[in-house]
Amino acid sequence: MEEKKIIFSGIQPSGYFTLGNYLGAIKNWTRLQHEHNCIFCIVDMHAITVRQEPKNLRQRTYDSFVQLISCGLDPEKALLFIQSHVPAHAELAWLLNCYTYMGELNRMTQFKDKSSRHSENINAGLYTYPSLMAADILLYQTDMVPVGEDQKQHIELTRDIAIRFNNSYSPTFVVPEGYFPKAGARVMSLQEPDKKMSKSDENVNAYITLLEEPSVIMNKVKRAVTDSDNQVRYDIKNKAGISNLIDIYSSITGKSIQDVEKEFSSTGYGQFKNAVGEAVVEILSPIQKRFKELSKEKDYINQLIKEGAQKADSRSYKTLNKVMRKIGLYQVK
Ligand code: ATP
Ligand code: LTN
């Protein structure tokens, strides 16, 4: 049997989870938890690199935890916790900041993109975001990081930091690999299909959240930007909108792109969009049902949140202490 790997991934409570988050990340996580040693984290400290309304952030963090469980993550199988509850993340992030070059951070496309969208608040946290992400991953001696394709660059940087540290001292960190899903790795905005679907998009029609009403989902898919040739054909360059809908449909149903093209070869966009909308409604409906039931169980959820933090705390300190020792920070035994 294949050896169990340590898997780590994170998601920001910067908005309500989208179909992109689900198909690109969470859906994979639910599968991986049965095969590996999985750790999934709600990265609230990453979310504050962009201004958040305190009340909303608090509620969304709780709801994010409930949503992960509603999507099928099992706290008995995977370790689930909230990043700010485990101080080792911020501590290692500081240490790793001292092993990360400004030249490297300057190249990060997520930083460039977010700083142009939030030009009134280009803070140092937004800039050093990747060192905190590297800390998240490296603390747990992670082998594999399942993420959407937008995170490729951050994973590369994490590897570079780990290799640099290992070479400067002695082997300390496992050098992790990114793990990208074959389908759904890059779900695009429904309004600007050359941009990824993002939960913090200002235009609510650009994304579908996991908790959206069926009628709203159907409407958003109907209004998705397409082209005028009315042929369901995959062509990212010239038909980005339709290609995105084909990707979504293919990722949900498990059908290949060719089969989807065949299935809709004689129908127009209207019928195809209907099918896509229905597939989305169907996949989200059990998640929404569980969310409604579970979010009322506040004591139970809070207990799970506490237990997750305790487990993560004791696991993360091992690596943090090792790093401090290697660097030469004075420690009393
Ligand atoms: P924000 O818009 O606030 O930056 P986000 O929607 O991009 O947030 P994150 O919390 O940063 O989401 O990402 C959580 C996970 O979801 C990551 O693994 C990321 O790669 C994946 N992901 C995010 N957006 C998409 C998308 N459009 N398609 C596929 N995967 C995605
Ligand atoms: N940067 C990621 C979220 C994230 C993450 C992580 C993902 C923070 N820490 C550790 C994987 C592993 C994002 O924006 N999607």
Side-chain angles (χ1 to χ4, degrees):
M1 205 181 93
E2 200 196 339
E3 204 191 324
K4 269 197 175 188
K5 293 207 154 63
I6 298 181
I7 308 251
F8 184 99
S9 199
I11 188 158
Q12 302 185 66
S14 48
Y16 278 93
F17 295 168
T18 69
L19 189 63
N21 296 135
Y22 182 72
L23 298 177
I26 305 169
K27 193 173 155 205
N28 254 323
W29 301 355
T30 59
R31 190 173 47 78
L32 290 166
Q33 69 181 339
H34 300 292
E35 299 154 21
H36 298 285
N37 184 343
C38 288
I39 309 171
F40 300 117
C41 180
I42 294 173
V43 290
D44 52 349
M45 295 196 296
H46 277 112
I48 61 166
T49 55
V50 169
R51 270 309 157 258
Q52 304 288 340
E53 184 63 44
K55 194 165 141 258
N56 293 346
L57 178 62
R58 209 169 283 126
Q59 182 65 42
R60 267 196 255 109
T61 303
Y62 176 83
D63 288 345
S64 297
F65 198 90
V66 180
Q67 278 182 75
L68 289 185
I69 299 176
S70 309
C71 286
L73 288 177
D74 177 354
E76 303 254 321
K77 292 213 162 82
L79 173 50
L80 308 179
F81 71 101
I82 297 169
Q83 187 186 36
S84 65
H85 294 187
V86 181
H89 289 248
E91 293 179 63
L92 183 62
W94 174 257
L95 302 176
L96 295 185
N97 261 331
C98 304
Y99 296 82
T100 308
Y101 296 117
M102 288 177 66
E104 291 173 317
L105 296 173
N106 286 337
R107 285 199 291 275
M108 296 294 118
T109 52
Q110 183 175 299
F111 171 68
K112 289 187 215 167
D113 175 47
K114 287 203 175 173
S115 50
S116 72
R117 276 194 282 139
H118 303 275
S119 54
E120 72 303 337
N121 177 25
I122 307 179
N123 61 70
L126 191 62
Y127 186 59
T128 60
Y129 178 117
S131 320
L132 177 58
M133 177 159 163
D136 296 339
I137 297 169
L138 299 179
L139 266 179
Y140 299 91
Q141 304 296 347
T142 302
D143 298 299
M144 241 164 57
V145 189
V147 278
E149 261 177 23
D150 60 307
Q151 295 302 311
K152 231 175 201 163
Q153 219 186 6
H154 288 158
I155 304 289
E156 269 312 305
L157 180 56
T158 301
R159 290 170 55 85
D160 290 344
I161 296 172
I163 293 169
R164 180 173 307 141
F165 195 95
N166 289 348
N167 287 342
S168 304
Y169 301 95
S170 54
T172 309
F173 298 122
V174 167
V175 180
E177 309 260 352
Y179 177 79
F180 308 96
K182 285 195 191 74
R186 203 166 160 75
V187 177
M188 307 309 279
S189 153
L190 299 180
Q191 291 299 313
E192 295 166 80
D194 53 336
K195 259 179 47 185
K196 74 160 192 156
M197 182 182 283
S198 156
K199 63 172 114 70
S200 49
D201 201 308
E202 272 161 23
N203 184 351
V204 296
N205 288 319
Y207 56 78
I208 292 171
T209 73
L210 302 190
L211 301 178
E212 217 115 59
E213 292 284 334
S215 60
V216 178
I217 296 175
M218 294 304 287
N219 254 325
K220 285 190 177 180
V221 176
K222 256 181 217 146
R223 291 167 72 171
V225 168
T226 51
D227 50 70
S228 54
D229 91 349
N230 215 24
Q231 276 193 23
V232 181
R233 193 165 41 78
Y234 197 84
D235 175 354
I236 293 212
K237 239 189 180 165
N238 303 305
K239 294 165 70 68
I242 278 296
S243 303
N244 186 35
L245 294 180
I246 295 178
D247 264 332
I248 292 175
Y249 189 74
S250 145
S251 161
I252 293 178
T253 58
K255 294 175 185 167
S256 70
I257 289 174
Q258 289 83 343
D259 284 350
V260 179
E261 285 177 334
K262 247 189 241 152
E263 187 179 343
F264 296 96
S265 59
S266 55
T267 64
Y269 289 170
Q271 222 169 314
F272 175 56
K273 282 180 162 180
N274 233 357
V276 176
E278 277 168 10
V280 175
V281 168
E282 199 181 310
I283 199 178
L284 295 186
S285 131
I287 297 174
Q288 299 184 348
K289 193 164 161 262
R290 279 197 296 270
F291 180 81
K292 260 195 203 128
E293 291 160 5
L294 261 180
S295 48
K296 287 185 249 155
E297 309 278 338
K298 211 157 179 191
D299 289 344
Y300 169 65
I301 296 293
N302 280 336
Q303 186 56 30
L304 292 178
I305 292 178
K306 256 197 212 162
E307 283 169 11
Q310 279 160 1
K311 285 186 206 154
D313 201 50
S314 67
R315 278 178 75 164
S316 60
Y317 261 90
K318 287 190 195 122
T319 305
L320 182 67
N321 279 332
K322 195 157 107 181
V323 172
M324 287 177 151
R325 186 162 35 83
K326 296 215 179 176
I327 293 177
L329 299 181
Y330 184 76
Q331 293 176 311
V332 178
K333 290 223 171 87

